[in-house]
Amino acid sequence: MKTALYSRETLQSKIGRYGDASAENNLNVRLLFAPRKLNEQTVDEFCSVYSKISGESFETVVIVESHFGETKRKLPMPSFKSVETPFGEVMVNDKLRNEFADEDDDFFIDDDAFDENVSIHDQLMLLQSVLDDFSILSIQITDSNSFIVKELAYALEEVLLSRNMLIVFCCDLKSEHTDELRSVLEYIENDNFSALLNYLNSGRSSVEGVGTFITGLIVAQKWGLTLDFEVLNGKNVSNALTGYAHLQPQISNRK
């Protein structure tokens, strides 16, 4: 079990500074983009983005992250029945995990990619600070080629569309690369999936967890969600990919 850098009370206090953004703006948040690691540099970014779901209720939270290393399986889902954090135990939605395992040949229940570097523990402590009762599912991307990313995006889009579930995409992009984020979002806005996948396959991306990032963008586009990244709204953040996607339209502050 990972040691907590912050108590639940500290995280809730920090989250409270941002208000109940979801209720205030009548948002219907379906996706979060969150930093991969909780630390002194990212704690405020975590609390800001997780404030967007404060007061909400989700049956299950699906946490998607990229694995940096070689494994046999392309889209493994760890086999554990629950995850224990310093804030308590969270159960896995085993039925949903089996549903994904039956969805396509590249989904496997497998523990090879589950190591000390996974982001799920960091995400869970924030989730436990804002949600009362939920289960989880962890999906890892071990191969970020376009075929695997499209396969995962399609499965998430189809399986979760009509369900009361949240997806958290764990990925990082240093704020000095904001122009890269703008360029990629233009591909989405113009429905230019060819350019998006070329970007994914080019190897020139500065994103840590680029397969996870692109998966989230594709799902947001397919569901007709509005994307909102804090750095594009003038926020001073270290991770340009801190943001969320929601159903309620907002006036964009993007220039």
Side-chain angles (χ1 to χ4, degrees):
M1 182 172 65
K2 185 171 182 175
T3 303
L5 291 176
Y6 303 93
S7 68
R8 191 201 302 256
E9 293 72 23
T10 297
L11 292 176
Q12 289 174 334
S13 176
K14 287 179 175 289
I15 290 167
R17 296 175 190 171
Y18 297 97
D20 190 344
S22 179
E24 179 183 349
N25 296 318
N26 194 28
L27 299 180
N28 189 338
V29 176
R30 298 295 308 276
L31 315 178
L32 293 182
F33 293 85
R36 293 170 49 243
K37 294 299 178 183
L38 176 63
N39 52 46
E40 291 181 358
Q41 288 71 44
T42 62
V43 61
D44 288 322
E45 295 169 27
F46 266 104
C47 291
S48 175
V49 74
Y50 273 95
S51 75
K52 304 302 185 295
I53 60 167
S54 180
E56 295 288 347
S57 176
F58 298 99
E59 175 189 347
T60 298
V61 179
V62 178
I63 299 173
V64 180
E65 58 181 300
S66 297
H67 174 77
F68 303 96
E70 294 186 5
T71 63
K72 294 180 180 179
R73 309 304 189 188
K74 304 297 185 183
L75 296 170
M77 297 172 291
S79 65
F80 48 71
K81 299 296 182 184
S82 66
V83 178
E84 184 79 24
T85 81
F87 302 165
E89 184 182 34
V90 182
M91 300 303 296
V92 172
N93 188 329
D94 188 55
K95 181 178 179 180
L96 182 64
R97 178 169 53 192
N98 289 331
E99 191 171 343
F100 273 103
D102 292 338
E103 183 73 16
D104 198 279
D105 293 341
D106 287 311
F107 286 93
F108 280 91
I109 299 175
D110 187 276
D111 295 327
D112 282 353
F114 194 77
D115 56 30
E116 68 276 5
N117 295 316
V118 293
S119 179
I120 186 173
H121 297 290
D122 301 84
Q123 310 302 330
L124 274 179
M125 285 185 278
L126 270 297
L127 288 164
Q128 289 173 297
S129 298
V130 295
L131 302 179
D132 291 329
D133 185 31
F134 64 96
S135 60
I136 58 166
L137 175 64
S138 170
I139 301 178
Q140 298 167 285
I141 305 175
T142 67
D143 186 339
S144 291
N145 73 58
S146 58
F147 176 80
I148 297 299
V149 167
K150 287 191 294 184
E151 178 183 323
L152 174 57
Y154 174 78
L156 292 170
E157 172 202 350
E158 290 292 312
V159 174
L160 304 183
L161 175 61
S162 60
R163 303 187 186 188
N164 180 31
M165 297 186 182
L166 174 76
I167 313 176
V168 178
F169 296 95
C170 314
C171 41
D172 295 314
L173 177 67
K174 293 181 179 178
S175 57
E176 57 260 36
H177 297 296
T178 301
D179 286 345
E180 180 177 342
L181 173 58
R182 292 180 187 275
S183 296
V184 175
L185 291 181
E186 285 185 8
Y187 300 150
I188 289 290
E189 290 168 355
N190 297 325
D191 289 333
N192 192 345
F193 281 91
S194 176
L196 183 67
L197 296 177
N198 286 337
Y199 159 81
L200 172 64
N201 293 329
S202 69
R204 68 177 187 270
S205 173
S206 301
V207 176
E208 294 183 28
V210 63
T212 295
F213 174 50
I214 299 302
T215 301
L217 292 184
I218 294 174
V219 174
Q221 196 275 344
K222 294 295 186 181
W223 284 355
L225 304 179
T226 298
L227 287 158
D228 196 324
F229 290 95
E230 293 193 351
V231 70
L232 299 183
N233 292 324
K235 300 290 183 62
N236 182 20
V237 295
S238 61
N239 178 24
L241 301 187
T242 301
Y244 59 103
H246 57 96
L247 286 172
Q248 175 67 25
Q250 284 187 329
I251 297 174
S252 176
N253 293 320
R254 202 179 309 147
K255 304 295 184 182

